[in-house]
Amino acid sequence: MAHHHHHPHGAHDQDLAQDHGHAHGRHHHAPANFGRAFAIGIALNSAYVIGEAVFGFFGNSLALLADAGHNAGDVVSLGLAWLAAWLSGRAPTQRYTYGLRSSSILAALANATLLAAVTGAIAWEAVLRLMHPEASQGVTMMAVAAVGIFVNGATALMFAAGRERDINVRSAFLHMASDALVALGVVVTGAAILVTGWLWLDPAVSLVIGAVILWGTWSLLREALALALAGVPQGVDRPGVAAYLATLPGVTEVHDLHIWGMSTTETALTAHLVRPGAALDDALLAEVCGELRKRFSIHHATLQVEGGSLEHPCELADHAAA
């Protein structure tokens, strides 16, 4: 579709360019807005990891060192999400005809898996500590964790705006928000232990926080996996799309309807429309693509129009779900 840049803009060409702008508006804006958020988030978190590691090492605190390792994982996951957002904006090539858009789906999937693994490790450590409670550096831990609430909370807020529209951004948001929650848990628990002397509070609170994070991760993991398996993206009404296509003038049957996510922000559709005796109708196709975009947020529709001849039946008529 990039060919229209090479010659003077005629009327048709402006339509094309305009259509291109609409079609990929969501897609080009999503990564651009969050580039700064990713950069600031990575810088803040890297500085925090180094600080934690230093305090943990000199303060002889295993908990702080473990948390530094966990936060280093966050820097990796933020980097992964940023890389995917950048790759999503790359132009298509002869080999990758959709560009590298679906890398955002892979990043969301990897991040959800990483978050689940980290949470499992925290829970395991918590169970061991419940069996053998250990004293922790109360005040140092609380001070460092308080900084963590700020660092992770601020980073999460930068991604909050895009989390509804883009599951890749949501995975970054969830990661940061869950870390702010863990840091808050450390501060509250540290204070409670100083007052009561109950060492078991530390692992008990860790388990509760782990359960909360896992609950959030589960829906992210499920959605990312569905996108990776070319499932209909959440929020797209497939029966509604099928019903709309079936009511088009002259259409007697709709088959081989597929809807899938090309990236975490863009949706594609292919369908066969049977219109017996109908001539080529570019106006109708243009209208249908516009409606699919407006009503269903489907930006990349490919429609095959057939005459429904009995001598040459469509091989894919029974291919997709009814």
Side-chain angles (χ1 to χ4, degrees):
M1 223 160 153
H3 65 269
H4 64 272
H5 296 302
H6 299 308
H7 49 82
H9 283 297
H12 164 71
D13 214 36
Q14 262 151 1
D15 283 349
L16 234 175
Q18 197 182 6
D19 183 51
H20 192 256
H22 282 310
H24 302 295
R26 243 169 61 169
H27 159 69
H28 281 316
H29 297 173
N33 287 350
F34 295 102
R36 210 171 92 225
F38 280 122
I40 296 170
I42 288 173
L44 273 178
N45 280 277
S46 300
Y48 182 54
V49 167
I50 294 165
E52 262 193 319
V54 169
F55 273 105
F57 185 74
F58 290 111
N60 197 21
S61 162
L62 183 68
L64 276 182
L65 281 174
D67 199 47
H70 165 68
N71 281 304
D74 287 350
V75 175
V76 171
S77 84
L78 273 179
L80 199 62
W82 192 11
L83 177 69
W86 175 72
L87 286 174
S88 291
R90 300 294 298 276
T93 64
Q94 295 290 333
R95 180 159 189 207
Y96 297 102
T97 55
Y98 277 136
L100 298 172
R101 294 168 185 179
S102 57
S103 57
S104 54
I105 296 171
L106 296 180
L109 191 57
N111 265 333
T113 311
L114 196 64
L115 201 50
V118 165
T119 309
I122 291 174
W124 178 250
E125 179 66 21
V127 170
L128 292 180
R129 285 206 171 187
L130 273 175
M131 288 155 36
H132 309 285
E134 286 170 39
S136 49
Q137 328 297 82
V139 182
T140 310
M141 264 181 75
M142 284 166 66
V144 175
V147 176
I149 298 175
F150 167 73
V151 169
N152 293 305
T155 311
L157 282 175
M158 291 191 290
F159 293 111
R163 72 184 193 278
E164 294 303 325
R165 277 199 326 276
D166 184 346
I167 173 179
N168 186 36
V169 170
R170 186 155 98 237
S171 73
F173 168 78
L174 248 176
H175 231 115
M176 294 295 117
S178 68
D179 276 11
L181 193 66
V182 171
L184 180 66
V186 170
V187 173
V188 173
T189 314
I193 291 172
L194 284 178
V195 174
T196 60
W198 297 341
L199 295 179
W200 57 264
L201 274 174
D202 183 19
V205 170
S206 294
L207 279 175
V208 172
I209 292 171
V212 171
I213 297 171
L214 211 56
W215 184 69
T217 307
W218 175 242
S219 66
L220 178 71
L221 191 59
R222 223 177 44 196
E223 199 179 330
L225 196 58
L227 279 175
L229 295 172
V232 176
Q234 244 179 352
V236 176
D237 172 17
R238 189 191 179 283
V241 172
Y244 163 68
L245 292 174
T247 58
L248 292 172
V251 170
T252 56
E253 186 196 336
V254 177
H255 59 247
D256 200 38
L257 171 61
H258 297 278
I259 305 170
W260 72 99
M262 298 156 73
S263 73
T264 51
T265 52
E266 279 178 301
T267 305
L269 166 150
T270 57
H272 293 199
L273 308 177
V274 180
R275 295 185 81 210
L280 272 177
D281 191 341
D282 286 357
L284 178 75
L285 290 178
E287 185 201 326
V288 172
C289 289
E291 283 296 310
L292 287 172
R293 191 158 51 233
K294 209 162 63 194
R295 286 201 217 177
F296 303 103
S297 292
I298 292 170
H299 292 75
H300 198 113
T302 307
L303 302 166
Q304 175 167 314
V305 181
E306 297 164 3
S309 106
L310 294 174
E311 298 149 55
H312 306 288
C314 176
E315 289 179 16
L316 297 175
D318 303 316
H319 185 61

